[in-house]
Amino acid sequence: MAYLLATNGLDRGQAYELVLGDNVIGRDADCDVHLNLPSVSRKHVRLIADDPHFTISELDSANGTKINGHQLTNPVSLQPGDVIKIADLEFSFVLKLPNITENVSGSNRTDFQPAAELSVLQRRSELLAQVRAFFCDHGFDEVETPALSIDTVVDRHLSPLSVVIHDETYWLQTSPEFHMKRLLAVGMNAIYQITRAFRNDEKGPYHNLEFTMLEWYRTSWSTDDAITFLGSLVTTILSTGAHQVFSYQQAFMTALEIDPLEDSTAKLLRCIAGLDFQPPENWRSMDRDGWLDLLFTEYVQPTLGLDVPTILVDYPLSQAALARQNPDNPKVADRFELFFHGVELANGYHELLDVQELRRRNERSNQQREQDGQPRLPQESYLDTAMQSGLPDCCGVALGFDRLVMLATGVPDISKVIAFPFDRA
Amino acid sequence: MATYKTNDFRKGLRVEINGEPYMMVEMNFVKPGKGNAFYKCKMRNLLRNTILDRTYKGGDSLESADVEEVGCQYLYKQGDTFYFMNNVDFDQYELSADQVGDYWKYLTEGMKCQTVLWNENPITLTPPNHVELKVEYCEPGAKGDTATSVTKPVTVETGAEILCPAFIEIGNVIKVDTRTGDYIERVNHK
């Protein structure tokens, strides 16, 4: 059938499907095409679809209708591509919706404009300046490291993107971690950067394939120092009350009355089976961390940081990534994450220094990737060499800057805080 | 049959689950930075219009459903079967009284409708939002009943009863909203 494709205003890109027969367009809720704007009359204009004939006629609207720039007075027959202006809203009359492949190959792209409001982009610029001032005040040096590297983080659940250059495979960074640790290994001791990271297959209200990461490291910090600094950064930038700290274990006990560290697998399974939600059909074939992730995303995370930023500490050792084991409690890692309004904003480690342990974890991640049907990733790396030469005791934190902008502006979709999100990059 | 992997998931995808066709109407990607990816989906059953909530994990897949929307026109009814013809290739479709549901009230010969084909068989029917129907029988309205608040049932050419204002008479043509079954206005044909 035919569509009216909005080409300006907030609805830009929205397609209104026409039905056979009568289509009344107007502000009344019972109109076939409902345009809820004060400048649009209750019943503004009528479009009769008698495929392949389409006729448009005026319904005594206050602000009138223009077809290809001409005021509509007598009924007009529409042709595909005609521009219909209803009060101040512009539409293109099309028989077929443009699909993505056509958009890429054709020269007729309609979405050249940014996805974010200009006021949001200006706020984003202010936030960048505020963040830089905060780090400057705390004695950090801003560094810049390559986005494209011969190394990549070996993580079970990350899909890095590769680029082949002169027959050699390079990786777009999933975080600047390796390069920044190489700088610590040669004597820098308080560094931060604001850079781009890339993670394939991640798209949603909180994920864009290419995103901006704020990452920092400081030597000789205790885990508590790093947690306090993170809390102070976020509460300052977002002007909130003081942050709270809970353990991963406490958060599960509060939300679900189960102990993620001590309870048996059988108890975990009974908990999932007894909850009123639809887990993936094959959820029983996941592992303990998979079940914890499932419960966490469904029942724990949405309750975190509703009033003030909340930092979860002491993650299970099996989810340590590159954090060191806690020296007092061998079941947990010195890893912490900050949540605000249920959004995961930052992830930090008291960094792993033991290169043998790094190699064991890389090997385990690669084995799990193979089980999941994912390719193995290279384990040999400059990080390995840097750690052999001696990485100083340090803490590091990565924060999703786009999500910080979302929280600061109240915009609920990451693609609306980025000038050009991936689908129009 | 094609298979959709989780990274193909998006709104509007037509998929088959337990042997029935569904349309994905919502898709939400959830993933802890260092954890498993989940895809929270809402799917509308195209046969029964019910909503199914499902969560998938990264790497799961769904079978595609061969579902297509086509324009057709109503031909006639025989027994409990309604016959339609494709506007373009003149294929004929049969829909049962169950599939047509309450829409029989609005079907007049030659009316242009839309139908959803699943594996080339019609499964649902959508009539135009507004249809014009001729009044075949009604009780006369009392004199002076010009207010639209007073209603009476009238029988239209399809045999259906529609509630109309009291001033409607036999032979009038009325416009009806097929989504609500409500009378909209009397049509004055020039």
Side-chain angles (χ1 to χ4, degrees), chain A residues 147-158:
Chain A
L148 201 55
S149 171
I150 194 80
D151 296 330
T152 186
V153 177
V154 184
D155 185 299
R156 179 182 185 178
H157 300 295
L158 290 183

Side-chain angles (χ1 to χ4, degrees), chain A residues 33-45:
Chain A
V33 175
H34 177 211
L35 303 173
N36 194 10
L37 270 185
S39 57
V40 174
S41 298
R42 291 180 186 284
K43 294 205 170 21
H44 197 108
V45 68

Side-chain angles (χ1 to χ4, degrees), chain A residues 117-370:
Chain A
E117 295 280 324
L118 296 188
S119 61
V120 172
L121 296 181
Q122 279 154 359
R123 184 79 182 95
R124 190 179 169 109
S125 158
E126 288 165 14
L127 288 163
L128 278 172
Q130 277 176 275
V131 164
R132 287 199 160 97
F134 191 93
F135 278 94
C136 185
D137 289 348
H138 289 81
F140 281 75
D141 294 319
E142 182 167 3
V143 296
E144 293 178 280
T145 59
L148 201 55
S149 171
I150 194 80
D151 296 330
T152 186
V153 177
V154 184
D155 185 299
R156 179 182 185 178
H157 300 295
L158 290 183
S159 292
L161 288 156
S162 62
V163 180
V164 175
I165 301 168
H166 300 310
D167 297 330
E168 189 81 62
T169 298
Y170 286 77
W171 303 91
L172 285 166
Q173 65 182 353
T174 54
S175 82
E177 183 157 3
F178 285 14
H179 289 121
M180 291 181 80
K181 285 182 175 171
R182 284 161 67 184
L183 291 174
L184 299 173
V186 295
M188 293 192 88
N189 52 45
I191 53 176
Y192 81 100
Q193 80 170 311
I194 300 171
T195 186
R196 290 303 169 65
F198 303 81
R199 296 179 180 182
N200 200 4
D201 301 333
E202 299 194 4
K203 164 139 191 62
Y206 294 99
H207 295 84
N208 190 57
L209 184 140
E210 175 179 355
F211 61 101
T212 300
M213 189 171 257
L214 163 64
E215 189 152 324
W216 64 91
Y217 291 84
R218 187 150 201 162
T219 56
S220 332
W221 250 354
S222 69
T223 315
D224 283 342
D225 292 338
I227 291 168
T228 306
F229 181 88
L230 169 62
S232 138
L233 169 75
V234 172
T235 52
T236 304
I237 301 285
L238 295 179
S239 308
T240 69
H243 69 273
Q244 290 176 330
V245 178
F246 294 114
S247 72
Y248 184 89
Q249 188 182 31
Q250 281 171 312
F252 268 81
M253 299 288 267
T254 308
L256 291 163
E257 293 177 355
I258 58 167
D259 185 330
L261 302 177
E262 305 292 344
D263 277 345
S264 67
T265 297
K267 186 166 178 195
L268 219 60
L269 293 178
R270 272 203 306 280
C271 172
I272 296 174
L275 288 165
D276 181 24
F277 81 122
Q278 273 288 337
E281 244 172 9
N282 44 4
W283 64 273
R284 284 172 191 277
S285 69
M286 301 194 310
D287 59 11
R288 191 178 173 98
D289 285 321
W291 297 321
L292 290 176
D293 281 349
L294 187 62
L295 291 171
F296 188 81
T297 52
E298 191 76 32
Y299 289 98
V300 182
Q301 184 174 339
T303 68
L304 296 177
L306 296 185
D307 300 320
V308 292
T310 295
I311 301 179
L312 279 199
V313 299
D314 298 339
Y315 272 65
L317 187 65
S318 55
Q319 298 179 24
L322 292 183
R324 71 172 194 191
Q325 187 173 30
N326 184 292
D328 303 320
N329 180 354
K331 290 192 168 177
V332 301
D334 278 337
R335 176 179 160 206
F336 50 95
E337 290 224 358
L338 184 141
F339 297 85
F340 190 39
H341 295 324
V343 178
E344 181 191 25
L345 188 61
N347 175 43
Y349 308 139
H350 197 135
E351 301 290 345
L352 175 70
L353 303 180
D354 175 354
V355 70
Q356 300 300 335
E357 177 61 15
L358 171 76
R359 291 172 189 167
R360 280 193 292 273
R361 290 186 192 179
N362 281 344
E363 180 51 35
R364 193 173 59 229
S365 293
N366 265 330
Q367 282 172 9
Q368 290 170 329
R369 290 179 63 86
E370 282 185 315

Side-chain angles (χ1 to χ4, degrees), chain A residues 45-46 55-59 65 67 70-78:
Chain A
V45 68
R46 160 175 283 153
T55 316
I56 189 164
S57 52
E58 180 60 43
L59 290 174
T65 305
I67 309 296
H70 299 290
Q71 196 72 39
L72 179 66
T73 44
N74 296 319
V76 167
S77 171
L78 286 174

Side-chain angles (χ1 to χ4, degrees), chain A residues 7-26:
Chain A
T7 53
N8 72 352
L10 280 179
D11 279 349
R12 205 173 52 76
Q14 163 106 32
Y16 296 90
E17 188 170 3
L18 300 172
V19 295
L20 276 173
D22 215 0
N23 293 270
V24 175
I25 302 164

Side-chain angles (χ1 to χ4, degrees), chain A residues 30-97:
Chain A
D30 62 351
C31 282
D32 303 290
V33 175
H34 177 211
L35 303 173
N36 194 10
L37 270 185
S39 57
V40 174
S41 298
R42 291 180 186 284
K43 294 205 170 21
H44 197 108
V45 68
R46 160 175 283 153
L47 206 159
I48 297 170
D50 183 15
D51 202 359
H53 303 290
F54 298 89
T55 316
I56 189 164
S57 52
E58 180 60 43
L59 290 174
D60 278 336
S61 66
N63 293 318
T65 305
K66 283 183 176 171
I67 309 296
N68 299 327
H70 299 290
Q71 196 72 39
L72 179 66
T73 44
N74 296 319
V76 167
S77 171
L78 286 174
Q79 302 302 323
D82 279 354
V83 175
I84 302 171
K85 193 165 182 187
I86 296 170
D88 37 20
L89 292 174
E90 266 186 21
F91 298 88
S92 173
F93 173 73
V94 293
L95 296 182
K96 223 178 121 195
L97 287 180

